[in-house]
Amino acid sequence: MIRHLDFLFALFGLLFLCPVLLLVTMLSYFDTKSPIFCQMRVGKNQKPFMLIKFRTMTPETASVATHLASASSVTKFGVFLRKTKLDELPQLINVLKGDMSLVGPRPCLFNQKELIKAREKNSVFDVLPGITGLAQVHAIDMATPKKLAAWDRRMIEMMSVKNYLILIMQTVTGSGSGDKIKNS
């Protein structure tokens, strides 16, 4: 049932938000000359997939977890995209493709060994990663791997259509703050 909701919400989201996606793409092009950011992430069963987002950092920024990136790497337009969560919209393509769900554990990088180990221990990789989740609406980010993995497990155990819809609504209405960027 949730996969069907994912597909429908992602399809209608992309169709409805097409003008916003085009506008952000154009504005992002003027900001970084490279509006789309693709990065290999850890998916369900630890299979790699290519995550798609709007670029919020300069193109030469190292491929590290957000909480390890320097705040000076984020562009002015990138700050706006992150604050409004518009940078996440292209991930609706990942949802359509079946790489992600709207709700699930945020996908990590393969170099985040401590988080991967904690998630393995909590069987977090048994489900699709998501655009948002329980940890995100409670402002728990990847800087605290063990805590994040425990909250991911908690979300998996409590997942139902009702809780799926609640987490989406909490995200849309601004709960949580996403991964923090270190101050430089």
Side-chain angles (χ1 to χ4, degrees):
M1 176 66 165
I2 288 179
R3 177 65 193 138
H4 296 293
L5 290 174
D6 276 342
F7 186 84
L8 288 173
F9 289 155
L11 181 63
F12 287 118
L14 285 168
L15 292 173
F16 179 72
L17 296 170
C18 190
V20 174
L21 291 164
L22 291 172
L23 179 63
V24 171
T25 300
M26 288 188 313
L27 294 173
S28 292
Y29 180 79
F30 292 115
D31 187 42
T32 64
K33 303 290 185 244
S34 178
I36 303 299
F37 174 73
C38 296
Q39 186 178 54
M40 196 61 66
R41 296 288 179 103
V42 182
K44 182 178 180 180
N45 299 319
Q46 295 191 48
K47 288 194 169 54
F49 76 98
M50 191 62 69
L51 179 96
I52 308 165
K53 293 178 77 165
F54 282 121
R55 184 177 299 281
T56 60
M57 297 184 191
T58 59
E60 61 276 355
T61 302
S63 183
V64 297
T66 301
H67 68 278
L68 298 176
S70 170
S72 63
S73 297
V74 180
T75 67
K76 288 179 180 161
F77 189 58
V79 170
F80 168 76
L81 291 176
R82 285 172 173 268
K83 187 172 185 160
T84 59
K85 300 178 185 166
L86 290 172
D87 63 317
E88 308 285 350
L89 288 180
Q91 290 174 65
L92 292 173
I93 296 167
N94 290 113
V95 174
L96 273 183
K97 289 174 52 182
D99 293 332
M100 293 179 71
S101 175
L102 289 176
V103 177
R106 286 295 296 149
C108 60
L109 297 166
F110 280 93
N111 64 6
Q112 291 179 280
K113 302 294 184 195
E114 188 178 351
L115 178 56
I116 289 171
K117 186 176 177 180
R119 284 182 163 174
E120 285 172 340
K121 184 178 176 183
N122 286 283
S123 302
V124 173
F125 294 114
D126 292 351
V127 300
L128 286 172
I131 295 176
T132 191
L134 185 64
Q136 286 67 42
V137 300
H138 286 92
I140 299 165
D141 68 15
M142 293 186 180
T144 56
K146 290 179 183 172
K147 182 177 182 181
L148 176 60
W151 277 74
D152 289 341
R153 180 76 237 156
R154 182 176 167 195
M155 175 186 59
I156 291 166
E157 290 170 354
M158 64 173 258
M159 191 51 62
S160 65
V161 171
K162 177 184 173 187
N163 288 335
Y164 168 92
L165 295 172
I166 288 170
L167 287 168
I168 290 171
M169 289 308 298
Q170 287 176 324
T171 300
V172 170
T173 59
S175 293
S177 57
D179 287 336
K180 307 278 190 281
I181 295 176
K182 74 176 182 177
N183 293 322
S184 42

